[in-house]
Amino acid sequence: MAYEDPNAPSQPQTPATAAPIAAPAATPEKKSGSWDWLWPSIVAVIIVKLFGLVGGLVTLGCYYWLKPKLGTWGAVAASGVIGAVAAIGLLAMIRS
């Protein structure tokens, strides 16, 4: 007696009746420029001057983590906010 999978479909699909798998759309990716590091570095330097080294490091790390998801300007803005909040949060934890 052969084993029958209870979750298997009742009729096996043949390749002719199976739905074709769509190939992913070829989207042209914007090539990173040689000056892409400039804006996050400026924001990180400002945060280092205002809040400290940890905020600047968090800013740079978040920028390179978020850039593929949000694009350059979204990543610069979000990483600046995250870096400032991380630095203020660390300062609050140290002072309390």
Side-chain angles (χ1 to χ4, degrees):
M1 177 175 223
Y3 172 76
E4 293 182 24
D5 187 11
N7 296 327
S10 60
Q11 296 178 358
Q13 291 183 346
T14 61
T17 60
I21 299 173
T27 57
E29 289 187 25
K30 187 177 176 185
K31 204 172 187 182
S32 294
S34 62
W35 293 94
D36 280 352
W37 59 271
L38 185 64
W39 287 110
S41 298
I42 291 171
V43 171
V45 167
I46 292 169
I47 289 178
V48 166
K49 293 286 185 180
L50 290 175
F51 301 112
L53 182 63
V54 172
L57 292 174
V58 169
T59 299
L60 285 176
C62 285
Y63 169 75
Y64 287 109
W65 180 54
L66 292 172
K67 185 180 176 193
K69 297 174 181 86
L70 300 177
T72 301
W73 295 109
V76 168
S79 66
V81 170
I82 293 169
V85 168
I88 292 170
L90 182 64
L91 181 67
M93 285 190 291
I94 290 173
R95 295 223 175 164
S96 65

